[in-house]
Amino acid sequence: MSDIIQLLPDAVANQIAAGEVIQRPASVVKELVENALDAGATEITINIKDAGKTLIQISDNGCGMSPTDARMAFERHATSKIRSANDLFCIRTMGFRGEALASVAAIADVELRTKRMEDEVGTFIHIVGSEVKTQEPAGINNGTNFMIKNLFFNVPARRKFLKANSTELKHIIWEIQRIALPNPTIKFSLVHNGTSVYELPATNYRKRIVDVFGKSLNQSLVSVKEETSIVNIHGFIGQPKFARKTMGEQFFFVNGRYMRHPYFHKAITQAYEQLLPPDTFPSYFLFLELDPGEIDINVHPTKTEIKFENERDIWPIIHASIRESLGKHSVVPSIDFDQSGSIDIPVPRRSSEGIRFPDIKVNPEYNPFDTEKSGSGGSYTPSGTSFREKKNLDNWEDLYSGAQLKLKPEENYREEKRSSNDLYAQTKEQYNGKKVMQLKQRYVLTPVKSGLMVIDQKRAHERILFEQFMEVLKSDSVASQQQLFPQTIELNPADAEVLKSILEDLLSLGFDIREFGRNTFIINGTPGVLDVSSPEMVVEKLLEEYKNSPVDARSKAKEQIALSLAKASALDYGMELKQEEVDHLIDNLFACATPNFTPDGKKVLTIISTEDIEKSFLR
C-alpha cells in the first residue's frame, strides 16, 4: 500500500490558516492597523467600500519596508517582531505570529506599496491567491499602503456567510474603537463608501473616548488611577445613573492591547453592586500596565484572550480602585475622616463636683382618670393642648361605645366572614365582574376556571405592540404623530450607521427621522400607535435592541425592527396600572394571534392550577 500522507501546498495551508485568523473584513482591518502601529505610524487612514467586501485600503506614515522585506512579509511565520522563543515571554508589539499577511494574500487580491524614508523609490507588489503577479519599483510616499480587493473571492463558502453590510461595518467600527482608544496620540481616519465615519485627531485619553462615543458620554466619566507594585491602572468609569441595558462600552486594555476578561469584569460589577438599575451594565475604559513577562497573549489567534500570572492579586486591586473612584466623586456614600472644615460638637468641661444626674420628680397622688380633682392631683392636661384635644381626652370612654365586646368565638368568626363577603362583593362590583390584580407592579393576576393566571405585563405589551407593528407594515396607511418640538439626537458612529440602515423601514412604521449633520438626527414624528413621551429614549432603546437581535436576514429585517421597537416601547416593570389599563391590556393580549409567547419565544403567561395551590396548603 502506497503512502497516503503528504504535505499540503502552501496556498492550501495559507487558506486553512486564514480560516482562523481572517474571519470577516474586520479581521483584515485589525491585523493591518496593528501592523501600522508596530511600524511607528502617527497617522493611519482606513478606506473601505461595501463594508470591506469590495475594498479595504489602509495607509500609514510608518517606517515602510525594503523590497526584500516587502516580499518576505507575505510568507508564513515571517515576522520582524520576535527572534526566539524567549521573546514570547516579553511581547510588547501588537503582532508577532507572522501569519496575518500570508492569510490575507491567500484569500484576496492584494496590492502593497511601501517605501522607507532613506530609499529613493518604493516597492509595488501584487499578489492574488498567494501567487505573486508583480514586484517592481514604484514612486510613492514614505510609509505603507495596502489595498485588499475582493475578499474571499476564492473561498465562496466563507463569502456567502458574510452578514449584511451594516453588520460587517459595525464589526469594523468595533475593531477601530479597540485600537484607537489605547492610542490617543495617533490620528485615525475611517471612511466608508466615501463618507467619513471617524476623524480622530491626536489627543488625550478622555477626549479620545468622547470623540469615539459622543459628547453625551463626557458628563458620566469618572477618572480611575491606581499604582501598585503589581499593576498600574488608569482610565475612566461611568456613573451608575448612565448605565445602559446592553453591553458595548466595556473595555479592558493591557499594555495597549484590547482583551476580554470575565473574571476582571466581575470585579467591576461587584464594585457597582446595589448602585445600578436592574438589568444594566456600567461603562468602563480601564488601561492596565504591567510587566509583559507576567502575561501570556499567545493563547488565541485573535489575541483577545490573555492569561495573567497574578490575576487573583489584580482582582481586588481593580475592585478597590473602582470603589475608591466612585466614593471620591460622591457616587457612593463614604466616611470622611478629614475633620478640617467640619462642625465641632461642644463638649462641657469636666467639673470638680463630678457628673450630676437629672432629677426626676414623681407625684404619687396623680390619677389620670380622676377628673374632679384639680391642682397637683387633678386631671393632667399636656402643655399646649387645645380645648378640642382636652375634650377628647376627657371623653375617652366614648371610643368604646357601641362595640360588641361579648361575642363568642363562633359569633366572632361569623361576623368576620360576613364582613369579608361584603368586601368581596364590593370588590367584584368595583371590577365590573373581573377579578384582576396587579402584583409587585410586574404581574397581572386573574382567576380562571382551572386556577390562577399570572401574566407578565411587559411581555404581554411586547406581544401586543409587535402584532400592531406587523399590521402597520402590511398596510399602506401609516399614522404618524408629529412632534410639536422636534428632538435632536446625537449618536456614536456605530449607532449612527445602524440607524441609517433602518431609516427606510422606520419610516414605514410611522417614524419621521431625518439626518441632521454628522452622526446627528432629528426626530419629527413617531408612530401614532405609541404614546411616546420621550422619542429620543425610544430610539436609543430601539437601537440597543436591534443591535443585540440575532436575526440578520434581509428578508426578516422588518420583522426584526418591529420586534426591537416593541421591546423598546413596551411599558416597563414598576409601572402601576389603573383598572381600565389592566382590562385593556388583557383584552388586547387575547386578541393577538399568539398570546402565550413573546415574538422572541419567551413565555407571556402561566396558569397555577388549583391542585398546586391546594398542595401548598398541604390539603
Side-chain angles (χ1 to χ4, degrees):
M1 183 176 180
S2 60
D3 298 332
I4 59 175
I5 297 178
Q6 58 183 354
L7 290 174
L8 291 174
D10 290 341
V12 178
N14 289 339
Q15 286 190 19
I16 295 174
E20 298 180 358
V21 180
I22 309 301
Q23 301 175 359
R24 58 194 338 147
S27 304
V28 178
V29 174
K30 172 183 179 294
E31 297 292 343
L32 297 183
V33 173
E34 286 182 349
N35 285 343
L37 293 176
D38 292 336
T42 59
E43 295 184 6
I44 301 176
T45 301
I46 305 101
N47 183 18
I48 58 178
K49 291 184 179 180
D50 300 329
K53 299 175 183 177
T54 302
L55 173 67
I56 300 175
Q57 181 179 9
I58 298 178
S59 57
D60 63 73
N61 62 347
C63 63
M65 291 180 282
S66 66
T68 304
D69 288 343
R71 178 62 187 86
M72 283 293 297
F74 290 97
E75 297 294 333
R76 290 189 65 197
H77 310 302
T79 179
S80 62
K81 317 298 174 59
I82 61 176
R83 290 289 184 268
S84 64
N86 293 330
D87 294 338
L88 292 174
F89 301 102
C90 56
I91 295 174
R92 295 187 178 273
T93 57
M94 301 299 293
F96 59 91
R97 295 178 184 273
E99 294 180 333
L101 290 182
S103 300
V104 173
I107 55 174
D109 184 340
V110 180
E111 293 183 4
L112 167 63
R113 294 173 175 82
T114 183
K115 176 181 176 295
R116 297 183 299 179
M117 185 178 297
E118 61 269 22
D119 294 337
E120 294 183 359
V121 295
T123 303
F124 169 74
I125 296 179
H126 184 202
I127 300 179
V128 180
S130 297
E131 182 180 352
V132 179
K133 299 293 185 180
T134 306
Q135 180 173 353
E136 59 186 11
I140 55 178
N141 296 328
N142 296 331
T144 303
N145 187 325
F146 276 98
M147 296 184 67
I148 315 299
K149 303 177 182 178
N150 300 326
L151 191 64
F152 298 121
F153 78 98
N154 54 354
V155 191
R158 180 63 62 88
R159 188 177 180 90
K160 176 183 178 181
F161 286 98
L162 289 178
K163 305 297 183 181
N165 285 353
S166 58
T167 303
E168 297 298 338
L169 177 62
K170 178 176 63 177
H171 284 279
I172 292 175
I173 291 176
W174 285 349
E175 293 296 343
I176 298 299
Q177 291 174 355
R178 295 168 182 175
I179 297 175
L181 289 175
N183 298 281
T185 59
I186 298 176
K187 178 182 178 181
F188 288 90
S189 299
L190 174 62
V191 180
H192 179 238
N193 291 340
T195 302
S196 176
V197 179
Y198 276 132
E199 285 292 340
L200 305 176
T203 181
N204 54 36
Y205 284 100
R206 187 185 188 103
K207 186 65 167 58
R208 175 55 58 88
I209 294 173
V210 173
D211 290 342
V212 170
F213 291 99
K215 298 178 181 178
S216 59
L217 188 64
N218 188 31
Q219 59 181 339
S220 71
L221 294 180
V222 176
S223 62
V224 178
K225 188 172 184 181
E226 189 71 34
E227 295 183 359
T228 66
S229 59
I230 300 176
V231 62
N232 294 334
I233 303 174
H234 68 93
F236 300 89
I237 58 176
Q239 297 182 24
K241 63 181 179 180
F242 294 99
R244 306 182 69 175
K245 290 194 174 183
T246 56
M247 301 284 285
E249 295 177 356
Q250 294 76 32
F251 292 88
F252 275 119
F253 300 95
V254 177
N255 297 340
R257 183 189 301 276
Y258 170 79
M259 73 164 183
R260 298 188 185 96
H261 208 293
Y263 186 57
F264 291 164
H265 174 75
K266 188 176 181 180
I268 295 180
T269 55
Q270 288 191 8
Y272 278 90
E273 196 170 10
Q274 297 181 351
L275 295 175
L276 294 175
D279 302 326
T280 58
F281 303 93
S283 301
Y284 59 81
F285 309 87
L286 294 184
F287 305 89
L288 282 63
E289 301 289 341
L290 69 162
D291 184 6
E294 297 180 358
I295 60 175
D296 182 12
I297 62 177
N298 190 22
V299 178
H300 192 271
T302 59
K303 300 185 283 290
T304 57
E305 299 179 12
I306 299 178
K307 291 188 177 296
F308 287 77
E309 183 179 350
N310 300 319
E311 66 178 11
R312 292 188 178 273
D313 298 327
I314 297 176
W315 195 98
I317 297 176
I318 295 176
H319 182 271
S321 62
I322 299 300
R323 295 291 296 181
E324 181 183 3
S325 297
L326 292 174
K328 283 182 178 179
H329 293 78
S330 301
V331 178
V332 296
S334 59
I335 300 175
D336 187 7
F337 295 98
D338 187 6
Q339 297 298 323
S340 61
S342 60
I343 301 175
D344 294 332
I345 300 176
V347 179
R349 294 182 179 180
R350 179 178 295 179
S351 63
S352 59
E353 299 177 358
I355 300 175
R356 289 187 58 188
F357 291 93
D359 296 331
I360 302 176
K361 296 181 180 180
V362 179
N363 185 2
E365 298 180 358
Y366 172 68
N367 183 1
F369 301 102
D370 190 356
T371 60
E372 297 178 358
K373 296 182 180 180
S374 59
S376 61
S379 61
Y380 170 70
T381 303
S383 59
T385 305
S386 64
F387 174 77
R388 179 178 298 178
E389 293 173 344
K390 183 176 182 301
K391 184 177 180 182
N392 292 335
L393 289 173
D394 293 339
N395 300 325
W396 62 271
E397 298 92 340
D398 295 341
L399 295 173
Y400 295 94
S401 61
Q404 304 295 329
L405 300 178
K406 295 184 179 180
L407 287 175
K408 295 181 180 180
E410 295 81 3
E411 295 174 348
N412 192 10
Y413 171 75
R414 293 194 189 100
E415 185 70 21
E416 181 180 353
K417 185 176 181 181
R418 190 181 302 113
S419 62
S420 63
N421 288 337
D422 293 341
L423 178 62
Y424 175 78
Q426 295 173 3
T427 304
K428 184 176 181 181
E429 182 179 358
Q430 178 182 356
Y431 290 127
N432 297 325
K434 295 183 179 179
K435 299 174 286 294
V436 182
M437 184 185 75
Q438 189 182 17
L439 176 65
K440 299 287 187 181
Q441 297 178 345
R442 185 183 182 100
Y443 303 103
V444 174
L445 308 181
T446 180
V448 292
K449 188 175 182 179
S450 57
L452 180 67
M453 180 183 292
V454 183
I455 302 173
D456 188 306
Q457 65 183 36
K458 186 176 188 301
R459 294 182 180 179
H461 201 205
E462 287 179 11
R463 164 53 68 180
I464 295 169
L465 291 177
F466 174 76
E467 296 203 1
Q468 288 180 354
F469 290 140
M470 292 304 296
E471 289 296 326
V472 169
L473 290 173
K474 293 178 182 178
S475 62
D476 296 332
S477 59
V478 180
S480 178
Q481 178 66 41
Q482 293 297 309
Q483 298 293 311
L484 183 61
F485 300 101
Q487 290 193 3
T488 303
I489 179 173
E490 182 179 356
L491 305 173
N492 63 62
D495 290 346
E497 291 298 324
V498 173
L499 184 57
K500 289 178 185 177
S501 65
I502 61 175
L503 272 182
E504 184 177 349
D505 294 322
L506 289 179
L507 181 63
S508 61
L509 282 169
F511 277 98
D512 185 3
I513 303 177
R514 312 289 175 86
E515 291 190 53
F516 193 67
R518 183 179 178 184
N519 300 331
T520 305
F521 299 84
I522 185 169
I523 306 173
N524 295 316
T526 55
V529 296
L530 294 180
D531 183 14
V532 180
S533 59
S534 177
E536 180 181 357
M537 186 177 297
V538 171
V539 172
E540 289 179 352
K541 288 183 178 180
L542 167 64
L543 291 176
E544 290 182 4
E545 295 290 348
Y546 183 81
K547 288 186 298 182
N548 290 273
S549 179
V551 181
D552 190 67
R554 188 60 192 172
S555 59
K556 296 186 177 181
K558 290 187 177 182
E559 181 178 342
Q560 179 182 352
I561 293 172
L563 171 60
S564 302
L565 184 57
K567 287 185 174 182
S569 309
L571 59 88
D572 212 341
Y573 298 121
M575 294 184 62
E576 186 175 357
L577 303 179
K578 298 179 180 179
Q579 180 58 33
E580 296 80 5
E581 295 173 331
V582 174
D583 294 340
H584 187 66
L585 180 71
I586 294 177
D587 293 340
N588 287 340
L589 174 64
F590 288 103
C592 294
T594 312
N596 295 345
F597 297 94
T598 62
D600 52 351
K602 297 179 181 178
K603 186 180 290 187
V604 173
L605 57 89
T606 185
I607 296 179
I608 303 175
S609 65
T610 307
E611 295 178 357
D612 293 337
I613 297 176
E614 291 178 349
K615 285 179 182 178
S616 63
F617 289 99
L618 301 177
R619 291 186 178 179

